[in-house]
Amino acid sequence: MSGSSGALGGFGLLPPLPQSRAAWLGAAGALALAALLGAAVWRWAGRRAGSARLQRVGTVSGLFLYPVKSCGGVALQRAEVTALGLRSGAMRDRFWLLITEDGHMVTARQEPQLVLISVNCENGYLTLNAPEMKELRVPVKLSRKNAVHNCRLFGLDIQGRDCGDEAAQWFATFLNTQSYRLVHFESQMAPRKSRDIFTTFRSKDEIAYPDCSPAMILSEASLEDLNTRLEKKVKIQNFRPNIVVSGCNAYEEDSWNKIKIGNVEMKGTMACPRCILTTIDMETGIIDRKEPLETLKSYRLCDPSERQLYKSHPLFGWYYGIDKTGTLQVGDPVYKIVN
């Protein structure tokens, strides 16, 4: 036995056993104390290494999803946050899309009056209403006989199931234009990768028909600051955020790297570069092509080092990827996760 322990002690695994009983008991006590201290230090280090502090930075004051890309948004009190963005029942954020006959997306950039179409969902039907138009009801679950189109968004391919001739005719009549097709993204279809659009996103960030991100956050303070610089005030709807936050400073949302709302965790990826869609009057559907874009360009352009990413687009709001899915609601505190 002593030969065995001496061999192990030679390799630094166990100390050699002392010869006297008193010395042996003393050594055993020292070993026990060292083990207890070691365990305590390990537990303390583990808590420190894995800990994160939550710093409250605001409150959710608005939740919106936009079932049909470029059409009106739906204000929510509560929403589920999925990997592909916000959801409320059968309504998903930008899961419906208008396309040309050859599959290219159609947005309010080309057809500004799309913003006048209000959208809702009831009894398994997506309902669309527009000025001087009869209500359109489109089943959320479409027949498998309906054609699946290959659609093109920002240079990337994605599928969509055709919503039928009645929907196509409804849009053609309202927009007084060529024939478009309304398509729906279904759960078995492959989403687009946000990283294929902007490399600032992670490989796990995915979307259906949004421009590039599962979620976008904007603060009330940022909008208020912009409106102090404009002759004609603009509304939050001009910027189509998913989550609106109150109780923070203007543009503070730019600095929230990781946030927690309810049981949802999100990771900031990049600023939202703004385009002419922001210049559409949400009440008339008339596009101005100037304001608020020109004013934003006067003070919200990127740092020259980021010009390859943002080009000449002004930045307003922040894109987020989803780290942990869950639910959130208006009134929830917004916490910045500080490591």
Side-chain angles (χ1 to χ4, degrees), residues 182-202:
L182 182 67
V183 297
H184 180 218
F185 180 83
E186 297 177 335
S187 58
Q188 78 278 6
M189 296 174 177
R192 292 150 62 227
K193 293 281 188 181
S194 298
R195 191 175 179 83
D196 291 338
I197 307 163
F198 291 109
T199 56
T200 51
F201 286 93
R202 293 89 50 87

Side-chain angles (χ1 to χ4, degrees), residues 5-319:
S5 108
L8 289 171
F11 286 98
L13 298 174
L14 287 173
L17 287 176
Q19 298 303 310
S20 72
R21 177 178 175 82
W24 186 89
L25 288 172
L31 281 171
L33 179 61
L36 286 171
L37 288 172
V41 169
W42 181 86
R43 285 196 298 270
W44 179 84
R47 285 200 300 272
R48 292 289 296 173
S51 66
R53 185 167 57 88
L54 297 180
Q55 176 188 339
R56 184 165 181 172
V57 291
T59 302
V60 175
S61 59
L63 292 172
F64 299 91
L65 60 74
Y66 308 86
V68 182
K69 189 174 180 68
S70 281
C71 292
V74 180
L76 305 169
Q77 285 298 307
R78 181 183 177 89
E80 178 186 353
V81 178
T82 75
L84 298 181
L86 270 61
R87 175 178 187 165
S88 178
M91 286 190 297
R92 305 288 300 267
D93 190 47
R94 298 170 175 96
F95 263 47
W96 284 263
L97 171 72
L98 206 60
I99 60 170
T100 60
E101 292 285 355
D102 61 358
H104 285 84
M105 70 173 180
V106 178
T107 72
R109 299 172 185 92
Q110 300 86 34
E111 298 287 355
Q113 288 196 316
L114 283 173
V115 302
L116 302 179
I117 299 173
S118 61
V119 185
N120 217 316
C121 190
E122 56 184 27
N123 302 321
Y125 285 85
L126 192 74
T127 61
L128 292 87
N129 286 276
E132 300 180 12
M133 293 291 294
K134 182 181 177 181
E135 182 177 82
L136 173 66
R137 293 169 61 83
V138 179
V140 173
K141 291 187 178 180
L142 299 166
S143 168
R144 294 295 177 183
K145 295 179 181 178
N146 289 25
V148 173
H149 296 280
N150 291 318
C151 312
R152 193 81 168 163
L153 281 79
F154 299 106
L156 297 179
D157 293 326
I158 187 170
Q159 291 183 318
R161 191 176 297 278
D162 196 293
C163 292
D165 292 339
E166 183 183 355
Q169 185 57 52
W170 190 91
F171 277 97
T173 301
F174 176 63
L175 298 173
N176 191 27
T177 186
Q178 61 176 298
S179 177
Y180 295 136
R181 309 299 299 187
L182 182 67
V183 297
H184 180 218
F185 180 83
E186 297 177 335
S187 58
Q188 78 278 6
M189 296 174 177
R192 292 150 62 227
K193 293 281 188 181
S194 298
R195 191 175 179 83
D196 291 338
I197 307 163
F198 291 109
T199 56
T200 51
F201 286 93
R202 293 89 50 87
S203 58
K204 69 178 182 178
D205 297 325
E206 296 179 328
I207 45 173
Y209 303 139
D211 282 3
C212 62
S213 178
M216 196 269 283
I217 294 180
L218 183 63
S219 71
E220 289 183 2
S222 297
L223 179 65
E224 289 166 5
D225 180 74
L226 169 61
N227 275 328
T228 64
R229 306 164 190 263
L230 295 171
E231 279 189 32
K232 184 180 179 182
K233 311 297 184 190
V234 290
K235 299 180 179 180
I236 203 77
Q237 286 79 9
N238 286 75
F239 303 100
R240 305 175 75 80
N242 296 113
I243 302 170
V244 182
V245 178
S246 63
C248 64
N249 295 324
Y251 315 110
E252 192 178 332
E253 62 269 33
D254 298 3
S255 65
W256 301 336
N257 183 37
K258 293 182 179 180
I259 60 172
K260 180 181 178 71
I261 310 173
N263 59 352
V264 176
E265 294 182 12
M266 294 184 279
K267 171 76 166 66
T269 53
M270 62 179 287
C272 179
R274 294 301 179 170
C275 68
I276 59 169
L277 194 147
T278 60
T279 71
I280 300 172
D281 187 313
M282 295 293 147
E283 295 180 358
T284 65
I286 296 172
I287 191 166
D288 175 76
R289 295 185 180 275
K290 291 184 179 179
E291 293 294 0
L293 207 55
E294 292 302 318
T295 296
L296 281 171
K297 285 181 178 179
S298 71
Y299 76 107
R300 288 292 294 173
L301 291 177
C302 69
D303 185 87
S305 64
E306 298 178 306
R307 195 157 292 158
Q308 185 176 2
L309 175 63
Y310 296 115
K311 300 181 172 57
S312 61
H313 295 283
L315 313 178
F316 200 66
W318 207 262
Y319 284 138

